[in-house]
Amino acid sequence: SPYLMGTLMIGKDVDFILNGTAQFQGSIREIVGLAGLKLHLNRQLGKQFALQLDFGYRYASEFGDAMIPGIEFFFNGWQAGFTYDINISDFSVATSKKGGPEISLRYIFRKVRPLPIFKICPLI
């Protein structure tokens, strides 16, 4: 299950985002690619805010293809995202070719207290 996540600064407040992942299990294959732009609207510490617009494409050998437009908001350590899978394949058993929304919420901890020192082996 390899993946790639890249960010390239293309302007003072603009980044180019490129992500990809693939999963292989026997004859089953799924490959997802995403490209987008991240706009840094505020870089002041404690008030950092960015908006990312992206577009992805998914190929799955079992289910066919899907286009994935998305939007993400970044505020300090928080990240909230919304994507919508648009089926463009013949797969219609579960979705009637309508696709579906995905919502994500993530927090990145930047400061973590170290664990206390303790004996791992009771014989020591």
Side-chain angles (χ1 to χ4, degrees):
S1 185
Y3 65 92
L4 163 76
M5 298 176 74
T7 301
L8 177 65
M9 183 177 175
I10 59 174
K12 180 183 175 202
D13 294 322
V14 181
D15 294 338
F16 176 70
I17 307 296
L18 186 63
N19 295 335
T21 185
Q23 295 185 19
F24 308 103
Q25 291 183 327
S27 64
I28 308 298
R29 308 258 187 268
E30 181 181 35
I31 301 169
V32 180
L34 177 140
L37 292 176
K38 186 173 185 180
L39 310 170
H40 297 273
L41 303 173
N42 189 346
R43 289 185 178 264
Q44 183 180 348
L45 286 177
K47 296 181 181 180
Q48 295 170 329
F49 182 71
L51 169 69
Q52 181 173 314
L53 300 171
D54 43 47
F55 184 80
Y57 179 81
R58 181 189 75 228
Y59 167 78
S61 59
E62 283 285 302
F63 307 118
D65 303 320
M67 295 184 299
I68 312 167
I71 185 169
E72 295 181 69
F73 299 93
F74 300 83
F75 180 72
N76 294 330
W78 289 96
Q79 176 183 349
F82 176 82
T83 60
Y84 193 89
D85 289 8
I86 302 168
N87 290 342
I88 56 174
S89 68
D90 292 333
F91 178 68
S92 62
V93 174
T95 65
S96 299
K97 292 190 173 185
K98 294 179 184 173
E102 294 183 12
I103 298 171
S104 65
L105 181 63
R106 176 170 62 171
Y107 180 76
I108 299 174
F109 293 93
R110 299 193 189 279
K111 292 183 182 179
V112 179
R113 284 183 269 147
L115 295 173
I117 297 174
F118 62 94
K119 293 183 180 182
I120 297 173
C121 177
L123 301 176
I124 297 179

